[in-house]
Amino acid sequence: MNVRELTVPGTWELTPRQHPDERGVFLEWFTAPALRAATGRDLDLAQANASVSRAGVVRGIHYADVPPGQAKYVTCVAGSVLDVVVDLRVGSPAFGRWDAVLLDTRERRAVFLPEGVGHAFMALEDGSTVVYLCSSGYAPAREHAVDPTDPEIGVEWPTTGPDGRALVPSFSAKDAAAPSLREALAAGALPRADEVEAFVRTLRG
């Protein structure tokens, strides 16, 4: 598996080696040793999620209170999505920075993001199916969102899909009403980088 750290510290792109033959293809889209070699930590699996979205759907930017936060290991098993990570850790040198990876069924990449980092994606095709492994279960009281169209973050959402058709972004009511990064910061709703790092250190042993 080839690994590459993204510009948001602690987030990684992982590209598996594929083994095609006349029957199809086989790959290991997640291995604990590869993740540990890249990040120095394990992913304690508490929940596995799947979402199916039509073209243009944007989910996020989502994050959870730390501790325990929610680390995620994400891939796309049908269609394609632009997967986005945003540094929401107050005090991080990269605070407010975002990076993105195309997840599709050609390269079959995955993205790992640690606790305290925001996550979002846009479906580029109808039926785009994203699956993700989570380090903690869903807890509504600890789940939050930041406006995915916040110009201060400036995520460059695609305007056309792989087939050349125009993409019309659509959002859930919750995500459309989410506060901006500046508003979330002023409300004290964002995770602190030092607290996140202290928590992650306990996971590394």
Side-chain angles (χ1 to χ4, degrees), residues 60-87:
I61 303 166
H62 299 153
Y63 69 100
D65 291 337
V66 182
Q70 192 178 63
K72 297 176 181 175
Y73 191 95
V74 187
T75 196
C76 181
V77 297
S80 58
V81 304
L82 185 74
D83 198 77
V84 174
V85 294
V86 183
D87 197 337

Side-chain angles (χ1 to χ4, degrees), residues 142-191:
R142 298 198 305 264
E143 304 286 335
H144 308 285
V146 171
D147 181 2
T149 64
D150 183 355
E152 190 168 350
I153 299 174
V155 176
E156 297 173 4
W157 297 111
T159 56
T160 57
D163 59 0
R165 295 182 188 176
L167 292 173
V168 179
S170 63
F171 312 90
S172 70
K174 175 184 175 181
D175 291 346
S180 68
L181 182 67
R182 190 178 298 272
E183 289 169 337
L185 177 63
L190 298 175

Side-chain angles (χ1 to χ4, degrees), residues 3-204:
V3 299
R4 177 178 69 92
E5 189 168 18
L6 302 177
T7 59
V8 173
T11 64
W12 294 80
E13 172 195 277
L14 302 97
T15 305
R17 294 183 178 89
Q18 301 187 56
H19 305 281
D21 60 24
E22 68 279 1
R23 301 167 298 169
V25 63
F26 174 83
L27 64 139
E28 296 174 343
W29 72 275
F30 169 81
T31 72
L35 182 65
R36 173 167 275 280
T39 66
R41 59 169 287 182
D42 294 318
L43 177 67
D44 293 328
L45 178 60
Q47 184 169 309
N49 298 336
S51 65
V52 182
S53 305
R54 62 177 175 78
V57 166
V58 177
R59 299 181 186 266
I61 303 166
H62 299 153
Y63 69 100
D65 291 337
V66 182
Q70 192 178 63
K72 297 176 181 175
Y73 191 95
V74 187
T75 196
C76 181
V77 297
S80 58
V81 304
L82 185 74
D83 198 77
V84 174
V85 294
V86 183
D87 197 337
L88 301 178
R89 299 166 292 193
V90 179
S92 167
F95 179 71
R97 182 186 301 167
W98 67 276
D99 204 346
V101 175
L102 175 65
L103 303 182
D104 60 18
T105 55
R106 180 177 179 181
E107 298 297 331
R108 302 186 189 274
R109 299 181 184 95
V111 169
F112 171 76
L113 59 146
E115 296 82 357
V117 172
H119 179 244
F121 64 83
M122 172 187 266
L124 306 181
E125 305 172 59
D126 287 338
S128 291
T129 304
V130 173
V131 295
Y132 38 109
L133 310 178
C134 304
S135 65
S136 62
Y138 177 65
R142 298 198 305 264
E143 304 286 335
H144 308 285
V146 171
D147 181 2
T149 64
D150 183 355
E152 190 168 350
I153 299 174
V155 176
E156 297 173 4
W157 297 111
T159 56
T160 57
D163 59 0
R165 295 182 188 176
L167 292 173
V168 179
S170 63
F171 312 90
S172 70
K174 175 184 175 181
D175 291 346
S180 68
L181 182 67
R182 190 178 298 272
E183 289 169 337
L185 177 63
L190 298 175
R192 291 174 48 89
D194 55 349
E195 294 175 349
V196 172
E197 180 56 32
F199 178 70
V200 172
R201 277 199 301 269
T202 68
L203 302 178
R204 293 187 177 125

